[in-house]
Amino acid sequence: PQAMSSRILEKNLERHPSVRLLRGVEVVGLSREPDQVRIALADLDSGRRQEVVASFLAGCDGYRSRIRDLAGFRKKGKTYRARFIMADCSDRTGLGSGAHLYFGKEGSVESCTFPAKPRRWIVQDNSRRPDPAAMGDRIRRIVAHRSGFDLSGSTMEFQSVFRPVRLQANQYFRGRVVLCGDAAHTMSPIGGQGMNTGWADAEHLCLALARSITDPGATEKELERYQIARRRAFRVA
């Protein structure tokens, strides 16, 4: 489940004293220099700004990537017409551990479970974007109408709306700014191929940056290898 994934990632960050997690902060500017990157950050509440200087900057900020735009990467792609609402719910359906799919004229409903026992529902809803406050009620109505299951007594842990997108940046690095995950290339999340490709991006980029730090003369070659390999992975996925 998404909420558990976030908790696991944040808990593991605590193992690394060199890592600092900042909340409520956004990137508002950056400048590339031959041997470093300067990043301007702004606090969302106070507006107070600070500057961070780094040897490399990895843009892992999704398909709407601010870092990609600020660094001047170009992109091409399209957004598909279908819209989906996703929620993780406590499970009272009796469906067991399998995945169940429902298809009709009004759209699809997908349902699957996780080891931690919540059930994920993904419903196709091509109407206008729902009010976040009413999202849970809308999922319950659609699931009941299309599958017959009543979710009125289920607790919803996580809800989101998405439309499948296909996007690719024209290049994956410019100087010492590197794109990773959906910021570099976005594909349909159905089946998890985008998530898995993103994890592999991160692993490959970690190795490339480690080699670049120990051998600065190899930086261009390492990032070029990263770009070639991850472009190929995007095409395969």
Side-chain angles (χ1 to χ4, degrees):
Q2 186 69 32
M4 181 176 290
S5 297
S6 297
R7 288 195 296 270
I8 290 171
L9 290 169
E10 291 179 16
K11 184 67 176 176
N12 275 274
L13 286 180
E14 298 174 2
R15 299 167 49 215
H16 305 282
S18 61
V19 174
R20 186 161 55 109
L21 176 63
L22 303 178
R23 294 190 177 279
V25 173
E26 66 176 346
V27 176
V28 294
L30 64 86
S31 59
R32 293 180 290 119
E33 299 176 7
D35 59 349
Q36 62 186 17
V37 184
R38 294 184 179 274
I39 306 106
L41 306 175
D43 186 281
L44 292 175
D45 292 329
S46 66
R48 184 175 60 86
R49 295 199 175 195
Q50 60 177 306
E51 183 180 75
V52 174
V53 179
S55 299
F56 295 93
L57 172 63
C60 310
D61 50 339
Y63 83 95
R64 295 189 183 93
S65 175
R66 172 77 63 84
I67 289 172
R68 183 184 61 219
D69 294 340
L70 289 172
F73 292 89
R74 298 192 307 276
K75 62 184 183 295
K76 61 179 180 179
K78 65 178 180 179
T79 300
Y80 297 94
R81 292 179 61 186
R83 178 184 281 113
F84 297 87
I85 309 176
M86 182 171 71
D88 291 345
C89 307
S90 56
D91 189 12
R92 301 181 180 182
T93 63
L95 287 173
S97 60
H100 296 263
L101 306 174
Y102 306 86
F103 297 97
K105 292 188 295 183
E106 297 168 311
S108 62
V109 172
E110 177 185 353
S111 179
C112 60
T113 58
F114 296 96
K117 300 304 181 187
R119 177 168 287 275
R120 174 163 292 178
W121 294 90
I122 303 175
V123 302
Q124 185 176 353
D125 181 13
N126 294 339
S127 61
R128 63 184 179 84
R129 187 180 181 90
D131 178 357
M135 200 180 301
D137 289 338
R138 184 154 187 80
I139 291 173
R140 291 184 176 97
R141 286 198 302 271
I142 292 175
V143 169
H145 177 64
R146 297 181 191 169
S147 73
F149 286 101
D150 181 4
L151 302 184
S152 58
S154 298
T155 302
M156 292 197 177
E157 301 178 5
F158 170 78
Q159 302 164 34
S160 68
V161 178
F162 67 90
R163 296 177 72 176
V165 172
R166 188 186 194 281
L167 178 148
Q168 186 175 35
N170 67 317
Q171 58 192 109
Y172 290 8
F173 75 98
R174 297 190 70 187
R176 289 173 170 258
V177 179
V178 194
L179 301 180
C180 186
D182 283 357
H185 42 211
T186 309
M187 61 203 82
S188 168
I190 305 302
Q193 66 266 38
M195 177 182 68
N196 290 324
T197 305
W199 291 131
D201 290 349
E203 182 177 33
H204 192 145
L205 182 56
C206 283
L207 295 172
L209 293 180
R211 295 186 189 113
S212 298
I213 290 170
T214 57
D215 183 6
T219 297
E220 185 82 14
K221 182 185 295 183
E222 290 294 338
L223 295 182
E224 185 65 38
R225 286 175 176 168
Y226 165 80
Q227 177 172 262
I228 291 171
R230 303 322 300 159
R231 280 181 180 274
R232 184 183 303 120
F234 171 71
R235 289 195 300 270
V236 170

